[in-house]
């Protein structure tokens, strides 16, 4: 409930500024940055995260400084500024290793793996994701473990290793179903659908994309819904069902 979140954080921020609590002021800015990132207002997200970062550096809060760097990395990755994303994730990683925060260290490795996957540096992507996986298994972070598997699945898919891609997406799917993460479950089905499409297994592709579509409609994920329609459209095109292809592509459009 992002509007309510913004409203309450704004009220809190006004009080912290009035009484001079710099640490909680930084907390509000960082959380507002996360809210704006969630609603894809990336310029506002950057603005608030940078305000938080300036305060955390001033008061010497290394943990929040690392958190701000990591969040900025995610924002820059979301807008396709991969060099900036990598720079911020690496800054966060240095601090997290210094402070011994294994959870955040694992997050940084996973995020860097995602950035490297996005720019086609697949060996580096795999290296960083596997480092994250080692830590996630050690500390028991199932959600981040599932994220690593899904990105590794995309890496293997990109290099045409479809069996390994399927294996990693299925590992992610098993975890997401276990922890009840509907967003990522939908993403796993969609990714498996794309793998099957790439391998020419069109019935399997359709089945998995349709499962993803059902969940995306249920949870109101319009981006995920559009992704499914466009891939179903290309599946129908591949099997020469052109009317269905047009129908699904128009829905995506």
């Amino acid at each position: 409930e992002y509007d309510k979140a913004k409203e309450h954080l704004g009220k809190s921020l006004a009080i912290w500024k009035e009484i001079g609590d710099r640490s909680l002021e930084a907390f509000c800015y960082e959380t507002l940055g996360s809210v704006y990132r969630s609603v894809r207002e990336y310029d506002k997200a950057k603005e608030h995260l940078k305000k938080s970062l300036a305060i955390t550096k001033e008061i010497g809060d290394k943990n929040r400084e690392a958190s701000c760097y990591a969040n900025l990395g995610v924002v820059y990755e979301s807008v396709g500024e991969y060099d900036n994303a990598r720079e911020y994730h690496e800054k966060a990683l240095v601090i997290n290793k210094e402070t011994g925060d294994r959870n955040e260290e694992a997050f940084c490795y996973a995020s860097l793996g995602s950035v490297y996957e996005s720019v086609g540096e697949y060996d580096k992507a795999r290296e960083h994701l596997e480092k994250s996986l080692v830590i996630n298994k050690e500390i028991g972070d199932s959600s981040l473990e599932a994220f690593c598997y899904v990105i590794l699945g995309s890496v293997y898919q990109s290099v045409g290793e479809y069996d390994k891609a399927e294996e990693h997406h299925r590992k992610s799917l098993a975890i997401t179903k276990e922890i009840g993460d509907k967003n990522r479950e939908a993403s796993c089905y969609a990714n498996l659908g794309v793998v099957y499409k790439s391998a020419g297994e069109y019935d399997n592709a359709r089945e998995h994309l349709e499962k993803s579509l059902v969940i995306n409609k249920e949870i109101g994920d319009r981006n995920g819904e559009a992704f499914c329609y466009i891939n179903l459209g290309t599946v129908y095109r591949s099997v020469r069902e052109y009317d269905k292809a047009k129908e699904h592509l128009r829905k995506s459009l």
Side-chain angles (χ1 to χ4, degrees), residues 29 33 42-52 72:
Y29 280 129
Y42 297 119
D43 287 339
K44 285 188 178 177
K46 281 187 278 190
E47 177 194 335
H48 285 79
L49 288 165
K50 283 177 176 171
K51 283 181 180 176
S52 181
L72 280 163

Side-chain angles (χ1 to χ4, degrees), residues 37-107:
R37 187 190 76 207
S38 297
V39 296
R40 297 180 173 83
E41 293 189 43
Y42 297 119
D43 287 339
K44 285 188 178 177
K46 281 187 278 190
E47 177 194 335
H48 285 79
L49 288 165
K50 283 177 176 171
K51 283 181 180 176
S52 181
L53 180 61
I55 297 168
T56 58
K57 288 171 94 171
E58 186 188 306
I59 64 177
D61 183 341
K62 298 302 281 183
N63 287 325
R64 180 148 291 128
E65 184 184 345
S67 180
C68 288
Y69 283 135
N71 278 307
L72 280 163
V74 173
V75 171
Y76 280 113
E77 184 181 359
S78 300
V79 296
E81 294 186 37
Y82 299 116
D83 287 341
N84 280 332
R86 188 166 51 204
E87 179 191 337
Y88 280 107
H89 284 312
E90 282 170 351
K91 284 181 178 178
L93 181 60
V94 168
I95 297 171
N96 289 318
K97 287 171 102 170
E98 256 173 44
T99 59
D101 190 330
R102 298 288 278 163
N103 291 70
E104 290 301 315
E105 185 184 344
F107 177 79

Side-chain angles (χ1 to χ4, degrees), residues 3-251:
D3 288 338
K4 285 187 180 177
K6 279 188 279 190
E7 178 193 339
H8 286 81
L9 287 161
K11 287 178 179 176
S12 182
L13 184 60
I15 298 169
W16 301 130
K17 286 169 108 170
E18 188 186 307
I19 63 178
D21 190 323
R22 299 289 278 160
S23 178
L24 284 164
E25 186 184 343
F27 170 79
C28 287
Y29 280 129
E30 185 187 7
T31 311
L32 277 164
S34 296
V35 170
Y36 283 117
R37 187 190 76 207
S38 297
V39 296
R40 297 180 173 83
E41 293 189 43
Y42 297 119
D43 287 339
K44 285 188 178 177
K46 281 187 278 190
E47 177 194 335
H48 285 79
L49 288 165
K50 283 177 176 171
K51 283 181 180 176
S52 181
L53 180 61
I55 297 168
T56 58
K57 288 171 94 171
E58 186 188 306
I59 64 177
D61 183 341
K62 298 302 281 183
N63 287 325
R64 180 148 291 128
E65 184 184 345
S67 180
C68 288
Y69 283 135
N71 278 307
L72 280 163
V74 173
V75 171
Y76 280 113
E77 184 181 359
S78 300
V79 296
E81 294 186 37
Y82 299 116
D83 287 341
N84 280 332
R86 188 166 51 204
E87 179 191 337
Y88 280 107
H89 284 312
E90 282 170 351
K91 284 181 178 178
L93 181 60
V94 168
I95 297 171
N96 289 318
K97 287 171 102 170
E98 256 173 44
T99 59
D101 190 330
R102 298 288 278 163
N103 291 70
E104 290 301 315
E105 185 184 344
F107 177 79
C108 290
Y109 280 129
S111 298
L112 281 163
S114 178
V115 170
Y116 283 120
E117 188 269 337
S118 296
V119 297
E121 294 189 43
Y122 299 122
D123 288 340
K124 284 187 179 177
R126 197 162 45 205
E127 176 194 337
H128 284 80
L129 290 160
E130 282 168 357
K131 283 181 180 176
S132 182
L133 268 177
V134 168
I135 301 170
N136 291 324
K137 288 177 173 179
E138 184 189 304
I139 62 179
D141 188 334
S142 297
S143 180
L144 196 54
E145 186 181 346
F147 174 80
C148 289
Y149 282 132
V150 86
I151 304 297
L152 277 165
S154 297
V155 168
Y156 284 117
Q157 182 186 335
S158 297
V159 296
E161 295 189 42
Y162 299 124
D163 288 343
K164 284 188 177 176
E166 181 188 357
E167 176 195 337
H168 285 80
H169 285 311
R170 288 208 173 277
K171 283 181 179 177
S172 183
L173 179 62
I175 297 168
T176 57
K177 288 173 89 169
E178 189 184 305
I179 63 178
D181 184 340
K182 298 301 279 183
N183 290 69
R184 191 156 287 143
E185 184 184 345
S187 177
C188 288
Y189 281 129
N191 284 318
L192 280 163
V194 172
V195 170
Y196 287 124
K197 183 183 74 168
S198 301
E201 296 184 36
Y202 298 120
D203 287 341
N204 277 334
R206 192 165 49 202
E207 178 193 338
H208 285 80
L209 288 163
E210 282 170 354
K211 283 182 179 177
S212 180
L213 184 59
V214 168
I215 299 171
N216 285 317
K217 286 173 152 181
E218 212 178 273
I219 62 177
D221 186 336
R222 301 286 280 164
N223 283 320
E225 197 179 332
F227 180 83
C228 290
Y229 280 130
I230 197 169
N231 279 287
L232 280 164
T234 57
V235 167
Y236 283 118
R237 188 188 67 200
S238 297
V239 296
R240 296 180 171 79
E241 294 190 41
Y242 297 119
D243 287 340
K244 285 187 178 177
K246 282 188 284 188
E247 176 195 338
H248 284 79
L249 291 166
R250 283 182 177 143
K251 284 181 179 176

